[in-house]
Amino acid sequence: MTARERALALVSRKEALEAELSAQFSILSSNQSTMNTPLVDKEGFPRADIDVWAVRHARVRIIELKNDISALVDEMAVALAAVGPADASSARSSAQTDPSANETGLSQENMPAFAKVDGVAPGSPAATAVSARDIFDG
């Protein structure tokens, strides 16, 4: 399994854990409860208006899932760091073959404009950049 495949597997595992976490929170909300809502009344008896066992079980599972997700995020950071150098070398080799291509594979000539500049204030960083571009482009 390559580093990229491992990172993708960890991301899908995290998404599954987050889906289960959402399901556990829905159990709490269906019982009009939160992680801090008391499960006993003022006299110390279990509340009759909620399913105490389901709320308690959901709370425990939420804590477990949060810990699992936290550990998984740390694992993902390590996996993504391992993916980085391989991607950097492949990006360098593709940049050497087509220096005008960006990370999406489009060359600068084929990219659609995303903004139109009406004017540039004199002395601004944009004016400096335009004059620098004119110097380098000839």
Side-chain angles (χ1 to χ4, degrees):
M1 177 180 278
T2 66
R4 183 177 189 279
E5 291 170 342
R6 180 164 165 28
L8 290 174
L10 291 172
V11 168
S12 65
R13 173 74 178 133
K14 181 178 177 265
E15 289 171 354
L17 289 175
E18 287 172 341
E20 187 179 348
L21 185 66
S22 176
Q24 296 300 322
F25 273 115
S26 69
I27 292 171
L28 290 182
S29 65
S30 69
N31 283 290
Q32 295 81 34
S33 183
T34 65
M35 292 293 288
N36 300 321
T37 305
L39 300 179
V40 294
D41 60 15
K42 292 180 183 181
E43 296 174 357
F45 293 103
R47 289 178 49 189
D49 60 331
I50 62 173
D51 184 354
V52 176
W53 184 87
V55 170
R56 183 68 192 122
H57 181 72
R59 286 179 179 179
V60 169
R61 189 66 186 134
I62 287 170
I63 292 168
E64 291 171 349
L65 289 169
K66 284 183 177 181
N67 290 338
D68 291 348
I69 289 172
S70 177
L72 194 60
V73 167
D74 293 341
E75 211 175 321
M76 286 170 57
V78 171
L80 289 174
V83 170
D87 286 348
S89 63
S90 67
R92 263 189 249 115
S93 65
S94 68
Q96 291 170 353
T97 59
D98 185 10
S100 66
N102 63 10
E103 59 273 356
T104 60
L106 294 173
S107 66
Q108 289 182 349
E109 293 81 27
N110 297 335
M111 291 177 53
F114 65 90
K116 181 179 178 184
V117 177
D118 291 332
V120 176
S124 69
T128 306
V130 169
S131 63
R133 186 187 66 190
D134 293 340
I135 291 170
F136 290 119
D137 288 343

